[in-house]
Amino acid sequence: MKLKLWWRSLLFAGVFSVSVIPAVSIEKRVLAQSPASHASPITVTGVRLKQTDSGLEVLLETTSQQPLSIATSGYGKTFVANIINARLALPEGNSFRQSNLTGGIAVVSVTQQGSSIRVSAIGSAGLPTAKLRRSNGSTSLSLSAPAAPTAQTPTPQPAVPATPTQPEAIAPETEEIPPPVTPDEQPEGSVQGDEEIEIVVTGEQDGYLVPSATTGTRTDTPLRDIPQSIQVVPQQVLRNQQITRLDDALRNVAGATPDFNSGPYVTYRIRGFEALNNNLLRNGQVDAGAGESVELSSVERVEVLKGPASVLFGLGNPGGSINIITKRPLSEPFYGVDATVGSYSFYRGAIDLSGSLNDAKTVSYRLNTAYRNSDSFIDFYNSEHFNISPVVTVAIGERTNLTIEGDYIETKDSGFTPFVPVVGSVLSNPNGKIPRDRNVGEPSDEINASLTRLGYQLEHKFSDRWSLRNTFAYNFRDYSDKRTLPGSLEADNRTLNRSYRDYEFQSTSYALTTNVVGKFSTGSIQHQLLFGVDLNSYENETLKFAEATAAPIDIFNPIYGQPRGELSSETSNTTITDSLGIYLQDQISPIDSLKVILGGRFDTFDQKSEDFSADTESSLSDSAFSPRFGIVYQPIPAISLYASYISSFTPARGTYLFGGSLDDPFEPERGRQYEVGVKADLNDRLSATLALYDLTRTNVLTEDPDNPDFSIQVGEQNSQGIELNLAGEILPGWNIFAGYAYTDARITEDNTYDSGNQLPNTPYHAANLWTTYEIQKGNLQGLGVGFGLFFVGDRAGDLDNTYDIPSYVRTDAAVFYNRDTFRIALNFRNLFDIEYFENGSSATRVNYGQPFTVLGTISWQF
């Protein structure tokens, strides 16, 4: 297929207009380049704001006639202009900040970041558009919040007169405009005289630093203003590492580890605790099937909120939540094609299409689809995957947007049994070492899974300060497997007993969320209020479950295809959980340097279970209140000191107290966390977070010592730790994404396991480092290399701590070349082919890690 490349030209006609090539990432342009001879920094002596008909004007007063060198970027609702080689010298101090503005701009800040000045503007409803203008020693940025596009040009609204709570109005400029220089005297791209540059930003966030996220507050809030640790794995990291699976993306998150791998479904632990169904989110909405989104072709980034989140998302374990943010439609045409081949017959193709469907650009779309087929280092194991994800956004008037999206994922795994016994892998075996390609199941085993999602998101802006969002999601999951699973290992340490199961399962979920966000002030105190209601219904239905005895297998000399026993009688059951959550949150700013978050949520749930085989029914219901408190203090704009208390709850499930009944249920499990930390902008492109936390989980079910078939609710588990994250650009072209986690997660009370036992698959020490460098100019411009280290320390393989999984250091690398719309890359995983283990769950279930693997990818974006 012949690929066509469209280029936009630079037009000089009195006004210098810059349009960018539509791309998946935000275009960053140096809009004005100072000559190299200007070594001394330009001084900005004043910052003033002026309200305009279309938004807001930021005026920067300088003492020099030199053209400013400005690089722009955008992420979420935040526009950023970095003024290179400049310093602030303001009468009121070394920073400027105004919040709760009108005209569609929520916050404007001007701060010193190393040798640059950063101008940031957060839009109330979207990414602001900007125009740059320079005249007589001053530079102004005209900012406008993007209104929903319509077929007709909206009537301009009159400017609101300035009040004491609004930005100071500026008198019109009266200084004489200097004569323009000739083209030969003017540096390329510089702003001279009375010329103007229109800044156009399209697409998604670009780079390793994502300063804004919605996961921590359900509002678009800078990470530095959120009193909780949040780590974001951005699109550029996913692309540079050629990540297609969620478990590979989470290697970059300190404190997150894989807990169990079962075909298309992978579970994780965060800060020592399981991140199960209600800890999985998709675009900020609970999505129990998100763990099956192992193919990331439609995913823009992955946000991980550390610690409890019940005050925002309801039922859930206290370790943390994983929020998968999907790609959204673009207004300008964009087309992307990826083709990848690799080790173990890995083949993958992906297509990403976006653009407007009408001339008025009121309807835009995005379509992502991918197909993957691969073998594995495990004998007989083959995986086939297909997904398609359409999204359409419609502008309904100037203030209302409707987004409709769907997702269909289909996976087939054959010969899938990735487990081997501990003795012979982690521990020594007198018979030798179990090869890491050994399959202890059968070549005929198979898993078939499909997932269908449908939903919408409706956003309406009542004014610049008040907005409403309503979202709905429907998920249907269909899963079946016919698998041979490991049982116990005989005393000869080579004969593995096995069982066979025939299992069919379906789940259906509905989620409806409505919330209102409003900004207002009480005197000099600024507020951002969030009020919402969540309705969720989740049904798990086992259509069929039957077991049979499978023939034992010699793990060192396997013989496959032996006959198995008769299947047991089929069992089937269903469980329906309905929940209602009402939450209220206020983000309070008494002064610009102090932020306080107060929040609370009331949840009630009702759960009904029916065992069709035994013809029995049961039900339980309960409710809980989850509070949240956090405070952020910023002694200087680049530093945020924070502290928080937050809680969670989740229904306790098990066999009830001896002598009790299903109508006398357990209390919900509770989680509570205390966290303190520091978030720092080391420069204008590099940020770090240091967090210390103490997290306790109570009401954990434990075995009744007098009646082992029943449970009592006396268990307690605790996790304490330190986490350090670093992300961004060290120097032009040199990016880094790194983290370290110390996690001491233990049983503190239990009747079954010893107090002090380490929680499984949770290392005391874990660290990750990924760094890339791309040549910025010259004949080799676009050539880059990447290097990664992933360290995971010793960790327990089960709650009883009967064995430890050894530590490992995995080395990854990459070589890539970017040129305009073309990219080619080679990625090397486990470069030195070390033998390591991902996780364990029992004495006969431990997973080998991936051997040396090569992936080659060719990409076009046009």
Side-chain angles (χ1 to χ4, degrees):
M1 179 178 65
K2 184 177 180 180
L3 302 178
K4 297 182 179 179
L5 307 181
W6 286 270
W7 295 81
R8 303 278 183 115
S9 60
L10 300 178
L11 304 178
F12 294 86
V15 174
F16 178 14
S17 177
V18 178
S19 298
V20 301
I21 304 169
V24 94
S25 57
I26 282 179
E27 288 290 337
K28 301 186 296 294
R29 292 285 188 263
V30 177
L31 298 176
Q33 301 173 350
S34 299
S37 60
H38 294 147
S40 59
I42 296 175
T43 301
V44 174
T45 58
V47 178
R48 290 186 288 165
L49 302 183
K50 177 183 178 181
Q51 195 168 331
T52 65
D53 290 347
S54 60
L56 201 68
E57 187 175 56
V58 183
L59 180 70
L60 304 176
E61 296 177 338
T62 67
T63 58
S64 172
Q65 295 295 322
Q66 299 175 10
L68 295 178
S69 178
I70 301 179
T72 66
S73 62
Y75 46 86
K77 298 180 182 178
T78 304
F79 167 83
V80 173
N82 289 311
I83 304 172
I84 302 167
N85 193 29
R87 66 183 183 90
L88 275 176
L90 306 178
E92 62 271 23
N94 216 25
S95 66
F96 174 91
R97 181 182 174 89
Q98 283 272 13
S99 57
N100 291 296
L101 305 169
T102 58
I105 309 298
V107 178
V108 171
S109 64
V110 183
T111 57
Q112 188 74 49
Q113 302 288 335
S115 60
S116 301
I117 295 174
R118 175 190 287 178
V119 181
S120 298
I122 302 177
S124 301
L127 180 69
T129 58
K131 290 184 179 180
L132 178 69
R133 186 182 182 89
R134 184 179 184 276
S135 177
N136 288 339
S138 65
T139 299
S140 64
L141 283 169
S142 297
L143 302 170
S144 303
T150 59
Q152 298 179 350
T153 304
T155 303
Q157 298 298 316
V160 180
T163 68
T165 61
Q166 293 174 332
E168 175 189 0
I170 358 180
E173 295 292 332
T174 58
E175 299 180 26
E176 182 181 355
I177 299 174
V181 296
T182 64
D184 294 336
E185 297 171 324
Q186 179 175 319
E188 180 183 357
S190 65
V191 183
Q192 295 282 359
D194 194 26
E195 293 186 329
E196 183 179 76
I197 292 179
E198 182 180 1
I199 304 168
V200 181
V201 184
T202 63
E204 292 95 9
Q205 177 270 339
D206 183 23
Y208 281 23
L209 179 61
V210 183
S212 181
T214 60
T215 305
T217 60
R218 273 194 166 177
T219 61
D220 195 10
T221 302
L223 293 178
R224 61 194 303 275
D225 292 345
I226 300 174
Q228 199 169 351
S229 179
I230 301 174
Q231 191 167 358
V232 182
V233 184
Q235 175 67 205
Q236 196 63 33
V237 171
L238 300 178
R239 193 163 186 81
N240 284 348
Q241 294 182 5
Q242 290 301 316
I243 289 175
T244 62
R245 291 176 54 93
L246 182 60
D247 47 342
D248 285 326
L250 293 178
R251 292 184 191 278
N252 297 283
V253 179
T257 54
D259 189 47
F260 185 71
N261 187 336
S262 179
Y265 191 78
V266 182
T267 63
Y268 311 91
R269 286 182 178 264
I270 304 174
R271 291 185 171 176
F273 299 112
E274 305 97 322
L276 299 177
N277 291 341
N278 283 44
N279 299 88
L280 302 174
L281 313 171
R282 191 175 181 88
N283 296 320
Q285 196 165 35
V286 174
D287 182 355
E292 293 187 43
S293 182
V294 293
E295 171 61 59
L296 301 184
S297 64
S298 64
V299 173
E300 172 61 25
R301 65 184 184 273
V302 179
E303 300 179 355
V304 180
L305 172 68
K306 309 290 186 65
S310 284
V311 72
L312 293 173
F313 306 114
L315 320 181
N317 282 344
S321 299
I322 302 167
N323 189 12
I324 296 173
I325 307 298
T326 59
K327 297 176 180 177
R328 313 312 278 174
L330 306 176
S331 59
E332 298 296 329
F334 168 77
Y335 311 99
V337 178
D338 286 5
T340 304
V341 297
S343 304
Y344 306 106
S345 301
F346 183 97
Y347 301 96
R348 178 181 181 268
I351 298 174
D352 185 0
L353 310 175
S354 190
S356 296
L357 295 175
N358 61 347
D359 293 338
K361 297 185 179 180
T362 58
V363 182
S364 55
Y365 78 97
R366 192 146 194 177
L367 177 66
N368 280 273
T369 184
Y371 173 79
R372 167 169 48 85
N373 192 314
S374 69
D375 291 338
S376 168
F377 67 93
I378 301 171
D379 289 339
F380 317 122
Y381 176 31
N382 173 270
S383 177
E384 188 175 11
H385 180 102
F386 170 77
N387 77 282
I388 184 168
S389 305
V391 188
V392 175
T393 295
V394 182
I396 308 173
E398 298 179 28
R399 295 182 176 270
T400 306
N401 281 298
L402 174 65
T403 298
I404 303 171
E405 58 186 320
D407 201 26
Y408 178 75
I409 300 173
E410 186 175 285
T411 303
K412 179 178 181 180
D413 290 350
S414 59
F416 178 82
T417 305
F419 318 111
V420 295
V422 173
V423 176
S425 56
V426 172
L427 304 177
S428 62
N429 188 317
N431 299 290
K433 184 81 170 178
I434 303 173
R436 61 181 167 185
D437 61 0
R438 178 68 72 237
N439 191 326
V440 299
E442 291 289 329
S444 59
D445 291 347
E446 64 178 21
I447 298 174
N448 292 284
S450 65
L451 181 66
T452 303
R453 295 186 179 95
L454 294 171
Y456 72 81
Q457 176 178 297
L458 179 66
E459 294 181 280
H460 177 71
K461 186 179 177 184
F462 297 106
S463 66
D464 292 339
R465 293 179 176 270
W466 289 92
S467 61
L468 177 143
R469 174 181 293 181
N470 174 253
T471 62
F472 172 78
Y474 161 80
N475 290 353
F476 177 74
R477 178 189 176 204
D478 191 5
Y479 175 92
S480 66
D481 69 39
K482 301 178 185 296
R483 301 172 62 187
T484 307
L485 299 171
S488 60
L489 187 65
E490 294 289 346
D492 63 1
N493 288 320
R494 64 183 306 136
T495 303
L496 180 66
N497 296 314
R498 302 182 302 169
S499 63
Y500 173 81
R501 80 176 191 187
D502 187 352
Y503 178 47
E504 294 181 11
F505 170 85
Q506 288 182 350
S507 68
T508 306
S509 68
Y510 303 88
L512 179 65
T513 297
T514 303
N515 59 53
V516 176
V517 178
K519 298 179 181 180
F520 61 93
S521 60
T522 54
S524 62
I525 301 175
Q526 309 300 322
H527 299 263
Q528 181 170 240
L529 191 68
L530 170 72
F531 173 76
V533 178
D534 291 345
L535 287 170
N536 293 279
S537 180
Y538 188 65
E539 179 179 5
N540 285 334
E541 184 174 8
T542 298
L543 303 176
K544 179 175 70 173
F545 184 86
E547 290 185 296
T549 301
I553 194 171
D554 187 334
I555 57 177
F556 293 99
N557 185 27
I559 299 175
Y560 301 100
Q562 301 181 65
R564 59 174 179 263
E566 294 293 325
L567 284 170
S568 63
S569 299
E570 295 182 4
T571 61
S572 59
N573 58 72
T574 185
T575 300
I576 301 175
T577 303
D578 297 323
S579 64
L580 166 67
I582 302 172
Y583 52 92
L584 180 67
Q585 174 183 273
D586 193 6
Q587 297 173 249
I588 307 169
S589 298
I591 56 177
D592 286 342
S593 60
L594 184 65
K595 281 87 176 173
V596 178
I597 291 184
L598 297 174
R601 179 182 177 116
F602 174 77
D603 280 279
T604 180
F605 71 91
D606 181 70
Q607 188 175 88
K608 297 180 180 179
S609 299
E610 185 174 1
D611 188 328
F612 300 114
S613 306
D615 195 21
T616 60
E617 294 184 9
S618 63
S619 64
L620 67 93
S621 59
D622 214 325
S623 60
F625 176 77
S626 303
R628 179 190 195 185
F629 169 78
I631 186 169
V632 179
Y633 174 62
Q634 294 160 342
I636 60 175
I639 299 294
S640 296
L641 308 175
Y642 74 88
S644 65
Y645 168 81
I646 195 167
S647 64
S648 70
F649 92 104
T650 189
R653 296 180 175 89
T655 306
Y656 289 86
L657 175 67
F658 182 73
S661 70
L662 294 175
D663 296 324
D664 183 23
F666 290 116
E667 294 292 322
E669 288 186 0
R670 301 307 303 253
R672 64 177 185 272
Q673 176 181 272
Y674 299 91
E675 180 174 325
V676 296
V678 181
K679 300 181 181 183
D681 293 334
L682 304 181
N683 58 40
D684 58 342
R685 300 289 290 174
L686 185 66
S687 293
T689 300
L690 174 66
L692 295 83
Y693 66 89
D694 186 306
L695 175 57
T696 302
R697 180 184 183 187
T698 58
N699 292 342
V700 180
L701 296 183
T702 70
E703 181 181 288
D704 186 338
D706 299 322
N707 300 279
D709 292 334
F710 294 84
S711 300
I712 57 177
Q713 200 165 21
V714 298
E716 182 181 277
Q717 299 169 354
N718 177 261
S719 175
Q720 299 179 353
I722 302 172
E723 294 170 351
L724 175 64
N725 303 313
L726 180 68
E729 188 177 55
I730 300 174
L731 294 171
W734 182 12
N735 292 305
I736 188 170
F737 200 88
Y740 165 78
Y742 169 77
T743 311
D744 185 3
R746 298 176 177 272
I747 296 173
T748 49
E749 293 181 23
D750 203 287
N751 287 332
T752 306
Y753 305 106
D754 293 337
S755 179
N757 277 11
Q758 186 184 15
L759 297 185
N761 296 311
T762 306
Y764 289 111
H765 301 278
N768 59 278
L769 167 67
W770 175 257
T771 183
T772 61
Y773 179 74
E774 182 177 339
I775 298 173
Q776 299 295 291
K777 58 184 178 180
N779 294 332
L780 297 179
Q781 181 180 353
L783 180 65
V785 294
F787 177 78
L789 291 173
F790 301 93
F791 168 74
V792 179
D794 296 339
R795 59 240 187 252
D798 57 15
L799 274 172
D800 208 16
N801 288 192
T802 56
Y803 67 96
D804 284 337
I805 303 174
S807 63
Y808 69 88
V809 178
R810 195 182 97 173
T811 305
D812 290 5
V815 179
F816 56 88
Y817 177 72
N818 294 310
R819 175 59 72 181
D820 301 323
T821 59
F822 172 78
R823 174 184 170 88
I824 185 169
L826 279 175
N827 285 78
F828 308 93
R829 297 176 181 170
N830 195 1
L831 186 63
F832 301 111
D833 198 28
I834 64 163
E835 185 176 272
Y836 69 98
F837 301 94
E838 290 278 14
N839 56 350
S841 55
S842 70
T844 56
R845 296 190 182 189
V846 65
N847 294 75
Y848 273 109
Q850 185 179 23
F852 172 68
T853 304
V854 181
L855 294 175
T857 301
I858 297 177
S859 305
W860 293 272
Q861 294 181 354
F862 53 96

